Amino acid sequence: IKVLQRLYNSNSVLMLELEKSSENTRANLEIIGGFDKNAFSTFISEMVRHNFIVIRQYSIEPTERFRRGMAKIDRRPVTKLEGAIKI
């Protein structure tokens, strides 16, 4: 869950899109994520390495492991307010 949480914290839009669909294309995910090709490839490689997605020809499919993990992660937004005043 630690890896999935880290990926969610930095790529929540992509993770939520994968969660709500049974399959998606690489092109669609690249557009949704808004990353350059290198950053997107790194993200996809990590997802495959940890068995969170499966790539089948032209589609990317989330695995059951991904879905179970997404049900357990903390979805609260992580914000860092530099110079914020604590009350």
Side-chain angles (χ1 to χ4, degrees):
I1 293 181
K2 287 182 183 180
V3 173
L4 199 59
Q5 184 69 59
R6 181 177 49 79
L7 290 168
Y8 180 83
N9 289 345
S10 60
N11 307 287
S12 61
V13 172
L14 281 174
M15 302 289 278
L16 292 170
E17 182 63 27
L18 282 167
E19 183 182 33
K20 71 180 181 180
S21 62
S22 59
E23 66 180 56
N24 220 318
T25 65
R26 180 182 180 102
N28 284 346
L29 291 176
E30 282 180 354
I31 291 168
I32 291 166
F35 300 113
D36 64 33
K37 289 204 181 283
N38 289 336
F40 183 76
S41 292
T42 300
F43 169 76
I44 291 297
S45 294
E46 189 142 357
M47 293 287 285
V48 169
R49 186 174 338 120
H50 293 287
N51 298 315
F52 294 134
I53 60 171
V54 176
I55 299 174
R56 300 189 196 283
Q57 273 190 318
Y58 301 108
S59 69
I60 296 175
E61 302 172 12
T63 63
E64 188 61 33
R65 179 179 184 175
F66 171 80
R67 294 192 187 283
R68 283 194 312 263
M70 285 294 284
K72 296 178 182 177
I73 64 169
D74 180 4
R75 295 174 187 239
R76 289 177 290 178
V78 177
T79 57
K80 296 178 182 177
L81 301 175
E82 292 185 26
I85 300 171
K86 293 184 181 181
I87 299 176

